């Protein structure tokens, strides 16, 4: 007789992209998952607890067992984090904002789950990258997410030129992000470095009441004033 697999499952639980009613953007499957999961791997325990409470106010906070995964986490801690699954318990993996595993440190836990034969269940939720791409009017058939640009000005300019050339040669939209407090400086660098006819999409505060998604040529953006300071933003360029 085939042995019964008593492992728990790893649920990838999406969160909101900012301060808003989670029920406006998240399906009931997220609430149902939180109902029965007590073990979590998160980026920030305080905000994770706040999110769980907003989804399921009746959840007893003292019942939650939360492990923190961020840039300070040691690789040696990963096995301990995923151990509940090996002992038959389900784990919820949550990003600080949006979908876990995408532009998010949680990908290392997902990889480990596959290696250990743990079933991975991604739940539906908002991805700022995909929502920005959808709203940009650029090439949804071919695009690349490039993460953060270099901080050094010379390296950043070189990277932007490279992405611009890639978009032109491959007909591929190029997506990237910046730390929110540097957004205005990045926009300034974009307008100085890119060709006038290159298209630029700025997608800010996606799904929030202050949402702003616009696509213009670089030459036209130079005539527009927009303040992106401390607002989560996705940038997409395409030289057509």
């Amino acid at each position: 007789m085939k042995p019964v697999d008593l492992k728990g499952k790893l649920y990838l639980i999406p969160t909101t992209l900012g301060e808003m009613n989670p029920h406006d953007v998240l399906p009931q499957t997220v609430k149902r998952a939180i109902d029965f999961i007590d073990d979590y791997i998160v980026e920030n325990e305080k905000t994770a607890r706040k999110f769980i409470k907003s989804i399921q106010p009746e959840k007893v906070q003292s019942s939650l067992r939360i492990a923190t995964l961020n840039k300070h986490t040691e690789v040696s801690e990963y096995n301990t984090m995923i151990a509940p699954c090996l002992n038959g318990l389900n784990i919820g993996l949550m990003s600080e904002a949006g979908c876990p595993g995408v532009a998010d440190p949680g990908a290392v836990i997902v990889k480990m789950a596959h290696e250990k034969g743990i079933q991975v269940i991604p739940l539906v939720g908002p991805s700022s990258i995909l929502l920005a791409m959808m709203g940009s009017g650029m090439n949804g058939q071919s695009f690349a997410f490039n993460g953060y640009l270099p901080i050094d000005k010379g390296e950043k300019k070189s990277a932007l030129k490279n992405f611009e050339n890639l978009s032109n040669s491959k007909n591929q939209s190029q997506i990237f992000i910046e730390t929110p407090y540097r957004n205005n400086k990045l926009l300034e660098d974009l307008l100085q470095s890119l060709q006038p006819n290159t298209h630029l999409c700025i997608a800010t505060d996606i799904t929030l009441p202050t949402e702003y998604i616009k696509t213009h040529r670089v030459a036209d953006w130079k005539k527009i004033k927009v303040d992106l300071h401390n607002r989560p933003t996705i940038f997409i360029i395409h030289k057509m």
Side-chain angles (χ1 to χ4, degrees):
M1 180 180 293
K2 184 178 179 181
V4 177
D5 188 350
L6 298 179
K7 295 186 183 78
K9 299 173 183 178
L10 179 66
Y11 287 80
L12 311 187
I13 300 176
T15 62
T16 56
L17 297 176
E19 292 288 336
M20 65 178 306
N21 184 343
H23 301 292
D24 287 343
V25 293
L26 295 171
Q28 282 297 306
T29 49
V30 173
K31 179 181 182 297
R32 287 198 292 268
I34 287 175
D35 282 345
F36 65 78
I37 296 174
D38 289 327
D39 290 86
Y40 293 88
I41 301 172
V42 307
E43 281 193 80
N44 181 291
E45 181 173 350
K46 182 178 179 181
T47 55
R49 286 184 178 278
K50 181 179 179 181
F51 172 74
I52 291 170
K53 188 174 181 62
S54 71
I55 289 285
Q56 181 49 283
E58 292 79 25
K59 190 84 172 179
V60 179
Q61 289 283 321
S62 60
S63 72
L64 303 179
R65 295 177 292 272
I66 297 179
T68 303
L69 174 66
N70 54 39
K71 63 183 180 180
H72 303 296
T73 305
E74 299 290 340
V75 175
S76 59
E77 298 176 56
Y78 296 167
N79 279 314
T80 302
M81 289 182 174
I82 207 164
C85 272
L86 299 176
N87 294 322
L89 299 174
N90 297 307
I91 294 178
L93 176 67
M94 293 195 300
S95 175
E96 184 72 359
C99 297
V102 180
D104 169 72
V108 297
I109 297 298
V110 178
K111 179 176 181 291
M112 181 173 281
H114 286 298
E115 292 170 350
K116 294 181 179 295
I118 295 166
Q119 184 179 355
V120 175
I121 302 178
L123 301 182
V124 175
S127 164
S128 59
I129 297 168
L130 287 179
L131 291 171
M133 193 65 232
M134 289 165 59
S136 70
M138 296 186 187
N139 189 2
Q141 300 294 329
S142 179
F143 55 89
F145 176 65
N146 300 286
Y148 292 89
L149 296 177
I151 295 176
D152 178 80
K153 187 170 183 178
E155 293 178 1
K156 183 189 299 181
K157 183 176 180 179
S158 177
L160 287 173
K161 287 295 185 182
N162 181 49
F163 292 144
E164 188 176 47
N165 291 333
L166 275 174
S167 70
N168 186 43
S169 63
K170 294 187 175 183
N171 189 27
Q172 183 182 70
S173 299
Q174 302 294 319
I175 310 171
F176 45 90
I177 55 178
E178 180 56 283
T179 305
Y181 72 85
R182 294 192 186 121
N183 281 340
N184 284 337
K185 183 62 174 67
L186 176 56
L187 177 56
E188 181 182 317
D189 292 338
L190 288 166
L191 300 185
Q192 290 178 356
S193 302
L194 299 177
Q195 296 294 314
N197 286 328
T198 294
H199 285 75
L200 166 65
C201 175
I202 296 174
T204 298
D205 292 345
I206 296 174
T207 73
L208 304 183
T210 52
E211 181 178 85
Y212 178 92
I213 303 175
K214 296 287 184 182
T215 298
H216 296 293
R217 294 180 310 133
V218 167
D220 297 321
W221 274 117
K222 290 181 178 180
K223 306 170 189 175
I224 300 170
K225 296 293 184 182
V226 56
D227 185 7
L228 307 176
H229 184 64
N230 278 345
R231 301 170 68 187
T233 302
I234 301 286
F235 299 89
I236 311 175
I237 64 172
H238 199 133
K239 185 177 181 182
M240 304 178 188

